[in-house]
């Protein structure tokens, strides 16, 4: 009877054990992040954050109106985080992984972006929060639909987390990995800040969206373990 060589068995067991700390860290981080999302949903549904949200939004509105360059900048960049863009990019990333025969990474990317938006859709229907309302003199931009959670924040955080966990590690250079990860984090921050600055979301909307997108993606990673994938063109 054929048996697996002893050194192969040892290597297999070591590999299975090595990623346990990473899985545990991702699972706990994801659970905490989703816990923040749920807590914010409860607070918003109870209307406990209305005063604070309104105060911060009014301060951001005054700031943006004082400097039209700031408003113009955020108007220009905010579309880069729209649900259509981030969902489309997420699915393109999943397709690219699939073509490289990185099937686990492909399933991870698709599950992360689709799942995050699905949860956000249910939350929007459940909480049914109205958008900030401004008079004509203070209106910078307008949006329709429920406000909580922010779809922009949900999508950008999920997409960035997918890329950081599954695509960035494929880069050979450590400097390149750090640079790309930094750009992705900056991308999320700019999109998240843009929404309340433009007056189309409350601060708790974008915080909840970012927590949802990142938390769900971390949990998906802890289950699917995309770091085990290696690209193959054959």
């Amino acid at each position: 009877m054929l048996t697996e060589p002893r050194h192969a068995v040892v290597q297999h067991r070591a590999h299975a054990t090595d990623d346990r700390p990473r899985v545990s860290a991702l699972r706990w981080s994801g659970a905490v992040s989703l816990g923040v999302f749920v807590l914010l949903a409860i607070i918003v549904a109870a209307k406990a954050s209305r005063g604070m949200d309104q105060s911060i939004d009014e301060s951001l509105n005054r700031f943006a109106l004082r400097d039209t360059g700031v408003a113009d900048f955020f108007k220009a960049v905010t579309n880069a985080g729209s649900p259509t863009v981030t969902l489309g990019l997420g699915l393109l990333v999943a397709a690219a992984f699939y073509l490289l025969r990185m099937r686990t990474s492909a399933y991870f990317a698709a599950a992360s972006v689709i799942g995050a938006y699905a949860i956000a859709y249910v939350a929007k229907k459940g909480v049914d929060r109205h958008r900030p309302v401004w008079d004509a003199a203070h209106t910078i931009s307008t949006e329709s639909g429920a406000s909580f959670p922010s779809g922009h924040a949900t999508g950008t955080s999920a997409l960035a987390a997918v890329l950081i966990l599954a695509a960035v590690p494929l880069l050979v250079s450590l400097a390149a990995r750090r640079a790309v990860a930094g750009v992705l984090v900056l991308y999320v921050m700019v999109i998240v800040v843009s929404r309340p600055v433009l007056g189309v979301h409350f601060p708790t909307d974008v915080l909840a969206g970012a927590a949802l997108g990142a938390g769900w993606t971390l949990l998906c990673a802890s289950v699917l373990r995309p770091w085990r994938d290696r690209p193959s063109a054959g």
Side-chain angles (χ1 to χ4, degrees):
M1 179 169 53
L2 296 176
T3 58
E4 189 175 4
R6 181 176 178 79
H7 71 276
V9 174
V10 172
Q11 287 178 351
H12 175 75
R13 288 177 178 172
H15 178 77
T17 304
D18 285 345
D19 60 4
R20 287 180 186 175
R22 179 184 293 188
V23 169
S24 179
L26 289 170
R27 189 170 295 150
W28 279 105
S29 298
V32 169
S33 191
L34 286 180
V36 170
F37 164 70
V38 172
L39 177 61
L40 288 171
I42 294 171
I43 291 172
V44 169
K47 304 186 186 309
S49 66
R50 183 161 44 184
M52 178 193 68
D53 269 336
Q54 191 66 45
S55 176
I56 295 174
D57 258 9
E58 288 173 357
S59 297
L60 291 173
N61 180 262
R62 288 193 297 269
F63 170 69
L65 289 174
R66 281 198 306 268
D67 190 337
T68 55
V70 171
D72 290 341
F73 169 75
F74 284 120
K75 282 181 181 179
V77 302
T78 194
N79 289 333
S82 70
T84 302
V85 170
T86 51
L87 181 58
L89 287 175
L91 294 178
L92 282 176
V93 169
F97 280 138
Y98 194 85
L99 292 175
L100 290 170
R101 298 185 182 276
M102 299 176 66
R103 303 295 165 81
T104 301
S105 294
Y107 301 146
F108 164 62
S112 295
V113 294
I114 294 173
Y117 275 123
I119 297 171
Y121 178 81
V122 172
K124 281 180 178 289
K125 294 296 183 181
V127 176
D128 195 25
R129 188 186 206 184
H130 65 79
R131 299 267 181 174
V133 178
W134 306 98
D135 58 32
H138 293 85
T139 298
I140 299 174
S141 184
T142 58
E143 293 273 355
S144 60
S147 189
F148 182 95
S150 164
H152 282 64
T154 300
T156 53
S157 59
L159 177 61
V162 164
L163 294 173
I164 289 172
L165 290 169
V168 170
L170 301 177
L171 299 173
V172 176
S173 167
L174 175 61
R177 292 197 296 270
R178 288 177 174 175
V180 173
V183 169
L184 289 169
V185 171
L186 181 62
Y187 160 67
V188 174
M189 292 175 63
V190 169
I191 298 300
V192 165
V193 171
S194 74
R195 307 306 286 164
V197 168
L198 294 176
V200 293
H201 274 296
F202 296 105
T204 45
D205 298 336
V206 294
L207 290 175
L212 167 58
W216 173 253
T217 303
L218 293 175
L219 284 184
C220 287
S222 73
V223 174
L224 294 171
R225 308 183 188 193
W227 56 86
R228 292 182 173 182
D229 260 352
R230 290 295 179 269
S232 171

